[in-house]
Amino acid sequence: MKLYLCTLTMFVCCSLAMAQKPIVVIDPGHGGPDAGAVGTNGILEKEVVLDIAQQCLLLNRSLFQDSLEIYLTRYSDTLVSLGTRTRLAKVLRADVFVSIHCNQAPNKKAQGFEIFLFHGKFDKESNAIASNVAHYLQNKLGMYDRGIKYANFQVLRDTHGHCPSLLLETGFVSNSLEAEFTKRTESRKAIALALLQSLIKTFYHD
């Protein structure tokens, strides 16, 4: 009985410790038959963003001792509905929802990352997280900052009022230089690391 009680106590303590971790839902856009943007060098948005999301899982474990409890809306090349993606954040009572995408434009010179927030009522928490993400991408990676913008994207609309949320466009794959940057595994790891650092700063240092 003593052994059982000790085991049960340890389980409860571990569960509480896990519950205290910030819950992060990372949403790699597109997937399956929906490839998203196609780069000038042939890279597919759906593959790039899934790799960045998976790098977040690996780096959270190897560098940050699983300080964040991270869930992905998809773990493989599958198409998940937008409603299902946001429903996951609601069910988990996530502390933040981050949707990751690559940008594309007719203007081949368009460059830089941009962050979108819901265009409704001002959300102080979402803005604070977006500012942290922008800081790390610009100051640590030297990426051009196109600014924080506002939109009525479904993933932002559905999560608004439930948890802070943002949609990150990591760069323009229609720009040959940024497409080549995005193609490299090291670059994807760097973007994932910048995202993790910004979330760690948000939840543990602010």
Side-chain angles (χ1 to χ4, degrees):
M1 177 64 73
K2 276 187 175 182
L3 179 60
Y4 170 76
L5 290 176
C6 287
T7 304
L8 180 61
T9 301
M10 288 178 63
F11 174 77
V12 172
C13 289
C14 288
S15 298
L16 287 172
M18 284 186 66
Q20 291 171 353
K21 292 181 184 180
I23 297 175
V24 177
V25 173
I26 297 179
D27 171 42
H30 307 281
D34 179 9
V38 179
T40 57
N41 53 1
I43 60 172
L44 303 179
E45 178 180 5
K46 67 172 184 176
E47 295 175 354
V48 171
V49 296
L50 179 59
D51 191 18
I52 292 173
Q54 290 173 334
Q55 292 295 341
C56 285
L57 285 174
L58 295 173
L59 293 172
N60 181 52
R61 185 178 305 119
S62 62
L63 296 182
F64 299 106
Q65 294 75 51
D66 279 324
S67 296
L68 303 171
E69 190 170 349
I70 299 177
Y71 298 87
L72 306 187
T73 57
R74 64 180 181 95
Y75 290 83
S76 60
D77 184 19
T78 55
L79 182 61
V80 180
S81 71
L82 298 179
T84 300
R85 294 169 192 251
T86 56
R87 196 174 303 120
L88 178 64
K90 295 174 186 176
V91 169
L92 292 173
R93 297 183 179 179
D95 293 290
V96 64
F97 175 91
V98 181
S99 190
I100 306 177
H101 292 261
C102 297
N103 225 333
Q104 190 173 36
N107 179 6
K108 304 301 181 184
K109 294 182 179 179
Q111 63 176 325
F113 71 90
E114 51 192 6
I115 299 172
F116 286 91
L117 305 178
F118 182 59
H119 75 163
K121 184 178 179 182
F122 180 80
D123 183 342
K124 182 179 178 181
E125 290 181 298
S126 294
N127 272 269
I129 295 171
S131 295
N132 282 339
V133 173
H135 169 79
Y136 277 93
L137 290 175
Q138 181 182 30
N139 293 283
K140 301 298 183 181
L141 300 187
M143 298 176 69
Y144 177 67
D145 184 0
R146 296 173 63 89
I148 295 174
K149 301 180 181 180
Y150 298 87
N152 190 31
F153 298 138
Q154 184 179 339
V155 292
L156 299 179
R157 182 173 66 249
D158 287 357
T159 50
H160 183 71
H162 295 275
C163 66
S165 59
L166 60 92
L167 187 148
L168 169 64
E169 295 276 9
T170 60
F172 286 82
V173 293
S174 50
N175 178 302
S176 58
L177 291 177
E178 292 199 343
E180 285 303 312
F181 172 81
T182 306
K183 183 179 180 180
R184 297 197 293 268
T185 300
E186 295 79 6
S187 301
R188 299 176 188 182
K189 283 184 179 178
I191 292 172
L193 180 58
L195 178 57
L196 287 178
Q197 288 175 316
S198 65
L199 295 176
I200 294 290
K201 175 178 171 58
T202 296
F203 294 115
Y204 289 102
H205 300 299
D206 278 1

